[in-house]
Amino acid sequence: EALKPVYLQAATEFADLHDKTGRMKAKGVIEAAVPWEDSREFFFYRAKRRMYEDNYVDQLVAANPELSRAQAIDLLKDSFTGDWEDNQAVAGFFEESTEDLSAMVKTVKSASVKAKIEALQKELDGLEG
């Protein structure tokens, strides 16, 4: 019982050193603190954007398994003309551009299939020649 206040103080200090926004930013875990008043809107658009983004990245990687996730994100970035860090704008772009993005996925799939066919044709030519 005598040491309880000391342990409580140590635990509080430990938590303060690890859970504060300043420390999290210094470690690169977060980009910036979100003001409480804006947090609901920020995280709503962040989640919405990430769901769309992950969906399109998954579709692109499925269309061409040789694409990395970073390359798929770069393809999406290239088709967006606004600020990629603006979650609301990016989510709006994904919502409004479903046809264009679906066409992009088809184009990537087509190019991937053509590349596979060409590679198989070269391999076949090597066996016959």
Side-chain angles (χ1 to χ4, degrees), residues 12-109:
T12 303
E13 288 294 320
F14 182 82
D16 280 348
L17 289 173
H18 291 83
D19 294 338
K20 296 284 184 161
T21 54
R23 182 70 179 147
M24 293 172 73
K25 187 173 180 182
K27 284 294 190 180
V29 178
I30 61 172
E31 294 175 13
V34 178
W36 179 252
E37 301 81 34
D38 303 330
S39 62
R40 181 177 294 221
E41 181 181 15
F42 174 84
F43 287 111
F44 171 79
Y45 285 111
R46 180 71 179 157
K48 188 174 185 176
R49 176 241 178 105
R50 286 299 306 269
M51 286 188 292
Y52 277 117
E53 185 176 312
D54 288 346
N55 177 41
Y56 285 118
V57 166
D58 290 344
Q59 288 182 42
L60 288 165
V61 170
N64 182 357
E66 293 184 15
L67 274 181
S68 68
R69 291 190 73 75
Q71 290 170 322
I73 290 172
D74 286 341
L75 286 173
L76 293 172
K77 281 182 186 178
D78 290 344
S79 60
F80 180 65
T81 57
D83 177 13
W84 189 251
E85 301 303 316
D86 182 349
N87 293 316
Q88 186 174 358
V90 175
F93 163 73
F94 286 141
E95 277 185 329
E96 296 165 5
S97 304
T98 55
E99 289 180 21
D100 294 338
L101 294 171
S102 294
M104 178 198 300
V105 171
K106 287 180 184 177
T107 302
V108 167
K109 177 74 172 179

Side-chain angles (χ1 to χ4, degrees), residues 62-66 109 111-121:
N64 182 357
E66 293 184 15
K109 177 74 172 179
S112 175
V113 170
K114 285 178 185 176
K116 287 177 188 175
I117 290 171
E118 289 172 5
L120 288 171
Q121 185 63 49

